[in-house]
Structure formats: C-alpha cells, structure tokens
Amino acid sequence: MVYAALNAVDMAQAHALAKLLMDQLRINKVVLLDSYVPSEYTSLEWNAQEEPPFIRWLHTSGAQQVPNVPHYEPPNLVRDLAAAIIGKCEIYGIECHALFSLQESLLGKHIVTADTCAAYATACGKLGMTVPLNDTKLKEILKHGGVDEHHHRLYL
C-alpha cells in the first residue's frame, strides 16, 4: 500500500505528476480523497442545500460498485491533480475510486471537521479499506490546529 499526501500541486504539473506516479508505482487500485466547494457543485435536485458530511463517489469504468455512496453527478467537473490521476487510471485500466467531500469553511477559511473525517472513513470501509480514526487525536488536532491554505486536503 502506498500513500501519497500532497499539499499543493501546480495545475500545469498535474498531468506530469500523475504520469510519474502511474509509471513508477506498480499499482492495481487507487483511492483518491479530495473535496469540492459548494459554489462549484450542482446537485441533481433543484435548489438542494447539501449539508456536511457529504461524500460523493466517482470511479473508473473497471471499478466495482460501492453500495450506498452517491455518485459525483454530472455536470460537475473534477479538476487539477484529481482529474489527471483519474484519467491516467482509466487509460491504464487501473481501478480508481475518488471520494469527494463538501469543503466546509468558517469565516472564509477552509476547515476540516470530525464529521467529514468519519464520513471518509465510512466510505473507505465500503471500499474494503480499514481507516481507523483516533478520535482523541483528531479532536486535539481540530481544536488546536492552525488554519493554513492547504490543510483542508489532509483529511485522514
């Protein structure tokens, strides 16, 4: 199992990094965790107000179905590194599951909540992955952690 945690990737370098990851690592399955902001999301249901924790799932054509996880609906788009990784997985025939959470914010700053982390862990469990959450450590980090421009991508 390989974990790649990246705090920021330049949009122009996303394709090159995805290609490097796929060419260098011998992988047969990818689970991608990312988020989206409410202003860029269109629900299938007109005027629906989505409430966190809110996980949506997107997968490559060869991936097995996951029960009880709603799809990331069209016309919503995946961008940057997530799009490059999903695209490379589709081209190479690698099973890819992308889980997207609704990005929460407080006073204009992105935040991470315990509910979102628990929702990711539950969705990963449905993919057959055990993602243990240390509730004590998580609450301590969320209580005393600083807010910077990239921390919202580090969920688990």
Side-chain angles (χ1 to χ4, degrees), residues 2-31:
V2 176
Y3 296 96
L6 307 166
N7 64 353
V9 174
D10 182 56
M11 188 170 51
Q13 298 299 318
H15 171 75
L17 180 58
K19 184 173 181 357
L20 178 70
L21 287 171
M22 297 300 142
D23 289 347
Q24 297 300 315
L25 302 174
R26 304 266 187 240
I27 53 177
N28 58 8
K29 183 177 183 178
V30 172
V31 177

Side-chain angles (χ1 to χ4, degrees), residues 8-129:
V9 174
D10 182 56
M11 188 170 51
Q13 298 299 318
H15 171 75
L17 180 58
K19 184 173 181 357
L20 178 70
L21 287 171
M22 297 300 142
D23 289 347
Q24 297 300 315
L25 302 174
R26 304 266 187 240
I27 53 177
N28 58 8
K29 183 177 183 178
V30 172
V31 177
L32 175 71
L33 305 179
D34 204 349
S35 62
Y36 59 90
V37 294
S39 62
E40 295 178 358
Y41 183 77
T42 303
S43 177
L44 285 178
E45 195 174 311
W46 176 255
N47 224 10
Q49 295 294 319
E50 310 301 350
E51 293 293 325
F54 186 74
I55 301 289
R56 288 293 186 248
W57 171 59
L58 186 65
H59 59 89
T60 54
S61 59
Q64 63 182 357
Q65 295 295 312
V66 178
N68 302 321
V69 179
H71 281 91
Y72 191 68
E73 305 101 338
N76 297 295
L77 298 176
V78 179
R79 301 183 322 202
D80 303 331
L81 184 58
I85 290 173
I86 294 168
K88 287 295 178 192
C89 286
E90 185 67 39
I91 290 168
Y92 294 143
I94 297 170
E95 181 178 353
C96 179
H97 299 273
L99 300 171
F100 297 93
S101 72
L102 178 65
Q103 178 61 63
E104 298 179 72
S105 60
L106 179 65
L107 301 174
K109 297 280 188 177
H110 293 305
I111 62 170
V112 177
T113 66
D115 288 340
T116 299
C117 292
Y120 267 134
T122 301
C124 285
K126 291 178 182 180
L127 292 171
M129 298 174 54

